[in-house]
Amino acid sequence: MSQPASGSNAASAIVAGLSVVVDEHLRWLTQWHKAALFPRDNGQTGPDAAPEPSGFATWVTRVKKGSVAHQPAFDRLVQLHDQLHRMGRLTLMRAADGDLPDYGTYNAVLERFEEFIQQCRRIERALSVAGSGIDPLTGLRNRTGLADEVARELARFARTGQPFCVALCDLDKFKSVNDTYGHEAGDRVLVAASGCLTRGIRAIDEAFRMGGEEILILLKETTLAESLLVLDRLRADLAATPVQLADGQVLRVTASFGAAEAVSGLGVDALVDRADQALYAAKHGGRNRVEAWAPLPLP
């Protein structure tokens, strides 16, 4: 996840609040251990023996007022928080009735706690580097500076006539990966795909994560015909790259590409829009293919 550098102050405030949330939940876990495993020795019983930390609700309210509220990472964190405390309260209620948790129940709460803290750390790292222009998951450049980079190439093209192309890459049926295997698997696919693309382009070229599973590739000193050859090689490399999941399963993924070449008088947005139109054609042409932008035929 990423956000523009102009939101750096807001990001700093969110990270500071997140540190409080993590500290509160570490203290909560200690209280929960005592109440769940030694309810009588602890002198308290029931879910109130380990009250839910109050700082999280305040933090979420602050996040929802900011520019990053739409990020799915925050929704996932709220879900994990709700699951954690629902499971924790249920365990304490049973312990209060003399039913101490078995290993499976106890471990389930700890696993959910670990997931919650890991998600907090992911958000913390992402916001900490948001202003750096680097996507923390894939290591690609993010949207920060993208327009400036393309504008520089357009200016160079206007001066020298040196061609260049913009291409958009979109992983095919990526939503089904998240839905079927979970978001961790989706992250692994994104990391593997980004690594494949990075290895396949030259040092002078650039790759940007646009958001989600879409990646923009800036191919410098390249004609449209040359870019199509490069992109088809990248497409084949990606299709041949196995992605190993945490449970040992191996996925094969493909991607569609749309390319457009710079022409005189065309601005940044219009050039990227042409690449997007070509990507649309690749998706609707069967996926796992490369398409070049072409003007619509006259009626």
Side-chain angles (χ1 to χ4, degrees):
M1 64 183 265
S2 61
Q3 69 177 55
S6 59
S8 58
N9 290 337
S12 297
I14 291 174
V15 169
L18 193 56
S19 296
V20 173
V21 167
V22 170
D23 289 342
E24 274 196 341
H25 279 79
L26 289 172
R27 288 192 293 271
W28 171 86
L29 184 63
T30 300
Q31 295 174 325
W32 180 86
H33 274 302
K34 294 178 180 177
L37 301 180
F38 307 101
R40 293 178 180 82
D41 295 342
N42 194 44
Q44 290 179 298
T45 58
D48 291 338
E52 185 175 325
S54 59
F56 185 76
T58 302
W59 180 82
V60 170
T61 300
R62 184 184 306 130
V63 168
K64 288 182 177 179
K65 294 179 180 178
S67 59
V68 294
H70 67 285
Q71 296 284 0
F74 289 103
D75 294 335
R76 175 62 177 160
L77 187 64
V78 171
Q79 292 173 2
L80 288 171
H81 183 267
D82 290 345
Q83 292 169 8
L84 168 65
H85 288 288
R86 186 165 59 248
M87 294 166 65
R89 284 193 297 271
L90 180 60
T91 302
L92 293 184
M93 290 173 66
R94 290 176 175 173
D97 292 334
D99 183 14
L100 294 182
D102 57 25
Y103 177 77
T105 301
Y106 173 79
N107 194 54
V109 175
L110 294 189
E111 286 182 347
R112 191 64 76 247
F113 178 83
E114 183 178 358
E115 283 186 75
F116 173 75
I117 295 298
Q118 287 178 345
Q119 187 70 1
C120 286
R121 295 308 189 197
R122 289 191 193 101
I123 292 174
E124 187 176 46
R125 288 193 300 270
L127 290 174
S128 295
V129 301
S132 70
I134 302 298
D135 176 62
L137 175 64
T138 63
L140 300 178
R141 295 180 65 179
N142 59 30
R143 297 177 72 105
T144 303
L146 168 61
D148 289 341
E149 189 71 36
V150 178
R152 277 193 291 272
E153 286 303 306
L154 283 170
R156 190 160 72 100
F157 170 71
R159 291 193 315 271
T160 67
Q162 182 71 60
F164 77 95
C165 293
V166 164
L168 284 174
C169 166
D170 190 85
L171 299 181
D172 296 326
K173 299 182 178 179
F174 181 74
K175 184 177 183 300
S176 67
V177 173
N178 281 331
D179 292 345
T180 304
Y181 301 99
H183 288 279
E184 182 184 358
D187 286 351
R188 286 175 178 259
V189 168
L190 283 169
V191 170
S194 299
C196 180
L197 295 177
T198 300
R199 291 189 298 272
I201 60 177
R202 301 164 301 174
I204 66 170
D205 299 325
E206 301 277 2
F208 299 81
R209 185 181 178 193
M210 299 288 286
E213 68 276 21
E214 192 171 69
I215 295 169
L216 183 142
I217 305 170
L218 181 58
L219 297 170
K220 303 177 182 180
E221 302 176 10
T222 305
T223 66
L224 183 60
E226 291 168 339
S227 76
L228 295 180
L229 294 175
V230 172
L231 295 174
D232 195 58
R233 174 173 53 77
L234 293 176
R235 179 201 60 77
D237 289 347
L238 182 57
T241 299
V243 181
Q244 185 165 358
L245 305 186
D247 61 3
Q249 292 189 76
V250 175
L251 295 184
R252 298 279 181 174
V253 296
T254 62
S256 301
F257 295 80
E261 185 174 5
V263 298
S264 297
L266 200 65
V268 174
D269 291 342
L271 180 58
V272 174
D273 185 62
R274 284 188 176 186
D276 192 47
Q277 292 176 42
L279 174 62
Y280 180 86
K283 288 287 188 182
H284 286 264
R287 299 187 178 90
N288 190 24
R289 58 190 292 133
V290 179
E291 292 286 350
W293 178 85
L296 294 173
L298 295 175

